[in-house]
Each structure stands twice: as C-alpha cells, then as structure tokens.
C-alpha cells in the first residue's frame, strides 16, 4: 500500500498563506504519507526569494517530494529571462530537475514539465517527453501503479468556463491510456476536480483517472473554491485506489476530508462484486 499527498499551486509570494502551509507540514507529520507530490506554481512571480521560500518549505517535508514547475515559475515580466533562460531561477534557487521520476516496487511517478517561456499561460507536453515516457512505461511492470504529474490540466472540468487544455493533451492521453497509466495529477486551475480520460477522449479503453488539486496554500482559489484551500490524499493498494479531497478548515486549523472517490484496480477486486458495492474502508484520518 502507498499513500500520496497531492498538493499544488502553493504560490510563495504575496498570495501565500503561511498558516496553511504550516498546516500542510503538520498534516504530513501526523499522517506520514509515503511521498508528497507538488504539481507546480511554487511561486507567484518566479523571484529568487520566492523559490528559496519554496525550497525551505519542501526541505521541511520528511518524506520524498516530487515537484514539477508551473507557469508562475517562469518569469512573466523579465522578458529576456523568459525568452532565453526561463528555468534559470528555478534551477538555481529550487532544483536543477524539471521532470523528476520517482520509483519503488509499487509505484512509478513521472514528472512532466508543461510550462515554457514562450507560452503565456497555457502549457504543453513535448513530443520528446512523450517518447521518453512511452519507453519508461514499457519498462515498468504492469503491477506497478503509474502516475503522471503535470502542472497544466489535460481535461477541462465541466462548467469551468473554458474548454482549453494543454498542447498535445490528446496525444498524451492516447499514450497514457494505452500504456496503462493509472492516474494523472495536475493543478493550475485552482479548483479541485476528479474525472477520467474517457469523458473527453472516448476511445473505449480503461479510463485513466485525472485528478486536479486546487490551490493548497494561496488566496487564489477559483470558482467554487474561492477563498478555499484544497489538496488530495491518495491511497493505493493492489485492489483499489481511494482519492480523498481535503479542505482547509480555518476554525479547526487543519485539513479534513471533504469527499471520497473510490476506483477498483482489478476486475476481480472484492470491492466490485455485483450487488455488494464497495466494502467499507476505514477513514483516512482517525
Ligand atoms: Fe497557480
Ligand atoms: Fe498555473
């Protein structure tokens, strides 16, 4: 069994909420996930001091952390940097790695950089990275739970007001669904959502679960998550994946479960026996 704590859009800089990021660290300390995924927008304006604050935050997390950059981690107004050295500050002040890969005997997590200097806001996945991922997935046993992390969204949530998705999203989902990817994690929209690849790209294949985190520690929540801070807690074993959306409760000063979504991993999972429905599962945070 593995547990993944998915946070996103922490936006160090003026919109960052320090009390909530302390709450993230307390949650990690109390519940000890196997690892944390941070799906981009570490900073508000890609400034060195904002990256250093993000680095200090990540360094306080006592489990492995997989991080990818977001569009806010590329300078917006420093045009020369944006054109010629878009990741210089990220690499110098946060990490030299833009597309990290984590693996153990049960889990593979592949980071994808979708933020580029010459795109203003909407990201894209390069064909180069898709070819690398195809090779990586081919070398990975079927039993390993496969996760892709990208800052920008591959499908738009319903009623979000935009149907725009990142460039090469169709090609990426085509590859991921045929390669047996189980889960895609992203952020960017500042609104929680869970759906699947077949909703937008129906191919008659096993659906890839697509999970968006809202902004975990900033005041930039959107839509139904205005003024809210959210993140996801994911538990995986060989029979099922359970996704819990967590919300920050100001009165309790902690994250608590808001909703839970359950996905069988095997056709013969005991959870899916006809007429029985899901087995009761223990609450994630006793
Ligand atoms: Fe963001
Ligand atoms: Fe973003």
């Amino acid at each position: 069994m593995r547990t993944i704590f998915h946070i996103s859009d922490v936006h160090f800089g003026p919109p960052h909420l320090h009390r909530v990021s302390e709450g993230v660290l307390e949650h990690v300390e109390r519940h000890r996930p196997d690892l944390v995924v941070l799906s981009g927008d570490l900073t508000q304006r890609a400034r060195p001091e904002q990256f250093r604050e993000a680095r200090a935050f990540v360094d306080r997390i006592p489990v492995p952390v997989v991080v990818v950059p977001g569009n806010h981690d590329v300078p917006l107004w420093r045009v020369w940097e944006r054109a010629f050295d878009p990741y210089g500050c990220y690499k110098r002040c946060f990490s030299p790695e833009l597309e990290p890969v984590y693996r153990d005997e049960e889990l593979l997590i592949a980071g994808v950089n979708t933020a580029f200097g010459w795109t203003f806001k909407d990201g894209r996945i390069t064909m180069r990275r898709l070819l690398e991922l195809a090779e990586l997935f081919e070398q990975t046993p079927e039993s390993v739970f496969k996760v892709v992390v990208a800052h920008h969204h591959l499908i738009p949530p319903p009623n979000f007001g935009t149907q725009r998705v990142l460039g090469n999203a169709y090609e990426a989902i085509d590859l991921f669904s045929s390669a047996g990817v189980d889960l895609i994690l992203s952020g960017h929209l500042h609104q929680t959502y869970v759906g699947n690849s077949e909703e937008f790209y129906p191919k008659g294949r096993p659906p890839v679960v697509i999970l968006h985190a809202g902004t975990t520690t900033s005041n930039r929540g959107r839509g139904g998550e205005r003024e809210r801070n959210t993140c996801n807690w994911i538990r995986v074993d060989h029979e099922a994946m359970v996704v819990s959306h967590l919300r920050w409760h100001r009165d309790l000063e902690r994250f608590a479960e808001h909703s839970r979504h359950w996905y069988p991993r095997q056709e013969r999972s005991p959870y899916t026996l006809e007429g029985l429905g899901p087995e009761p599962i223990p609450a994630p945070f006793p």
Side-chain angles (χ1 to χ4, degrees), residues 9 11 40-41 70-72 121 151-152 187-190:
D9 296 77
H11 284 288
D41 278 359
N71 52 307
H72 277 257
K121 191 173 177 188
H151 175 65
H152 293 85
H188 185 58
L189 297 175
H190 297 192

Side-chain angles (χ1 to χ4, degrees), residues 268-277:
R268 293 174 61 80
S269 163
Y271 297 121
T272 55
L273 290 176
E274 201 174 327
L276 285 179

Side-chain angles (χ1 to χ4, degrees), residues 15-241:
H16 183 79
L17 301 169
H18 288 279
R19 179 64 198 100
V20 186
S21 58
E22 288 300 313
V24 169
L25 297 170
E26 288 159 18
H27 193 90
V28 170
E29 198 58 55
R30 190 175 303 135
H31 301 291
R32 285 287 172 154
D34 290 296
L35 75 159
V36 172
V37 168
L38 169 45
S39 52
D41 278 359
L42 315 183
T43 69
Q44 180 61 11
R45 281 289 166 250
R47 296 187 194 286
E49 67 276 14
Q50 295 173 356
F51 279 121
R52 281 194 283 268
E53 277 189 81
R55 182 72 257 170
F57 167 71
V58 167
D59 285 344
R60 290 175 66 196
I61 297 176
V63 298
V65 186
V66 177
V67 186
V68 294
N71 52 307
H72 277 257
D73 301 321
V74 170
L76 179 62
W77 302 117
R78 305 190 309 267
V79 179
W80 188 93
E81 262 183 82
R82 194 171 121 207
F84 299 107
D85 191 22
Y87 313 114
C89 209
Y90 185 99
K91 288 180 171 177
R92 281 190 301 278
C93 302
F94 184 76
S95 165
E97 183 56 76
L98 299 176
E99 296 184 313
V101 172
Y102 169 92
R103 69 183 110 194
D104 62 29
E105 61 278 10
E106 292 184 35
L107 198 60
L108 171 75
I109 300 193
V112 179
N113 175 28
T114 59
F116 294 91
W118 58 91
T119 51
F120 197 74
K121 191 173 177 188
D122 297 314
R124 71 186 175 91
I125 296 184
T126 62
M127 296 311 288
R128 185 254 329 144
R129 186 58 175 157
L130 286 183
L131 291 172
E132 287 172 2
L133 291 178
E135 208 180 312
L136 185 64
F137 297 140
E138 206 177 283
Q139 295 161 357
T140 305
E142 211 175 304
S143 59
V144 171
F145 190 80
K146 301 176 193 69
V147 183
V148 171
V149 184
H151 175 65
H152 293 85
H153 53 290
L154 279 83
I155 63 174
N159 305 320
F160 192 73
T162 176
Q163 291 294 301
R164 293 177 75 155
V165 292
L166 58 74
N168 293 333
Y170 183 87
E171 290 79 357
I173 285 185
D174 202 30
L175 166 70
F176 299 158
S177 59
S178 57
V181 169
D182 297 279
L183 177 66
I184 300 169
L185 300 177
S186 55
H188 185 58
L189 297 175
H190 297 192
Q191 188 169 301
T192 307
Y193 170 69
V194 63
N196 72 70
S197 55
E198 287 288 305
E199 291 170 19
F200 288 87
Y201 304 100
K203 301 277 273 184
R205 287 182 177 148
V208 185
V209 177
I210 297 181
L211 178 57
H212 300 169
T215 174
T216 304
T217 64
S218 87
N219 61 11
R220 293 171 50 96
R222 292 174 65 186
E225 293 190 6
R226 205 169 288 277
E227 308 276 309
R228 287 193 190 281
N229 295 104
T230 55
C231 46
N232 299 308
W233 186 266
I234 302 149
R235 288 171 295 161
V236 187
D237 63 21
H238 68 284
E239 287 171 347
M241 169 177 72

